[in-house]
Structure formats: structure tokens, C-alpha cells
């Protein structure tokens, strides 16, 4: 790794950490495009982002727990259910051509952005405390 790549990777990590802490965004949405820009192939970027998310998850979870924003039972149910999905997805993706994988990832980012736009226009379900 060159010095420039290391500096860019550090900036990515700090930026992703701040955004994850603020918004709870999935690291893959931030990590994968940046890792692609650093020269990794789509599959390498996706695999690398999965490992890079682990420290963010641990620190973010502990911090949010301190603030009382953690629902352990819900997290465990979602987390355990996703284990099978991750295994299936990782096996499936090795059979998908790189160009199609990039298009699918782009579509996912577009759908996430569209969902966020729609949700910001709705009335909040839970009014903010006065």
C-alpha cells in the first residue's frame, strides 16, 4: 500500500465512523464506493468492507448502549437471521459477473437514497419530546 492509499483509507475510516455514529448508516454504503475508488475490484471492496465494519459496529454499539438507544433483543434477532443471508449472499455473489455486481450495487444505493427522500417527506411516527 502506498502512503497516499493509507491516508485515503484513514480518511475513509474516520468519515465512515462519524457518519455511522451520527446516522447509523451501513458501512458498506460508505466503504464500498471509496474502496472502489482506491482501486479494489467490486468483490474485493465488498468483502473488505465486511471486515472493516466490525470495529465500527463494536464501538458504535457500546456507545449507543450507554445512551440507552439499544434494543438488544431486536438486534440479536436481526443479527442472527442475517447470518444465513450473509452466507447465501457471499456464495451467490461469486457467480455474478463484476459488471452486473456494480450495477446491482448502484441500484441498491439508488433505492436507499430514494427511501430516505420519501421518509423525510412523511410525518414522523414518534413526535419529538417537548
Amino acid at each position: 500500500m502506498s502512503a497516499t492509499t493509507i491516508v485515503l483509507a484513514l480518511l475513509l475510516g474516520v468519515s465512515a465512523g462519524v457518519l455511522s455514529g451520527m446516522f447509523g448508516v451501513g458501512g458498506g454504503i460508505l466503504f464500498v464506493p471509496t474502496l472502489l475508488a482506491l482501486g479494489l475490484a467490486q468483490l474485493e471492496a465488498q468483502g473488505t468492507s465486511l471486515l472493516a465494519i466490525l470495529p465500527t459496529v463494536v464501538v458504535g454499539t457500546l456507545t449507543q448502549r450507554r445512551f440507552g438507544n439499544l434494543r438488544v433483543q431486536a438486534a440479536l434477532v436481526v443479527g442472527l437471521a442475517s447470518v444465513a443471508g450473509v452466507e447465501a449472499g457471499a456464495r451467490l455473489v461469486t457467480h455474478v459477473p463484476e459488471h452486473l455486481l456494480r450495477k446491482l450495487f448502484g441500484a441498491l444505493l439508488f433505492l436507499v437514497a430514494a427511501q430516505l427522500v420519501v421518509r423525510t417527506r412523511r410525518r414522523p411516527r414518534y413526535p419529538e419530546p417537548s
Side-chain angles (χ1 to χ4, degrees):
M1 273 175 127
S2 71
T4 303
T5 303
I6 291 171
V7 168
L8 289 173
L10 288 170
L11 288 172
L12 163 65
V14 170
S15 300
V18 169
L19 293 172
S20 293
M22 288 175 62
F23 304 118
V25 297
I29 290 174
L30 302 169
F31 288 137
V32 173
T34 307
L35 291 169
L36 290 170
L38 292 175
L40 273 66
Q42 183 74 33
L43 249 168
E44 292 172 328
Q46 289 177 196
T48 302
S49 82
L50 288 171
L51 180 58
I53 290 168
L54 289 177
T56 307
V57 167
V58 171
V59 173
T61 300
L62 294 174
T63 303
Q64 291 296 343
R65 182 172 179 242
R66 254 191 327 229
F67 290 120
N69 298 329
L70 182 64
R71 294 190 183 183
V72 175
Q73 186 177 8
L76 289 175
V77 170
V78 171
L80 291 173
S82 71
V83 169
V86 167
E87 180 66 27
R91 289 177 185 268
L92 177 66
V93 78
T94 61
H95 302 292
V96 178
E98 173 116 3
H99 71 278
L100 178 59
L101 192 55
R102 281 183 184 246
K103 288 179 182 177
L104 290 171
F105 187 76
L108 172 67
L109 292 178
F110 178 78
L111 291 172
V112 168
Q115 179 193 31
L116 289 171
V117 168
V118 168
R119 293 181 91 185
T120 60
R121 302 212 176 265
R122 286 190 202 156
R123 175 183 281 171
R125 274 199 298 188
Y126 305 106
E128 300 216 9
S130 311

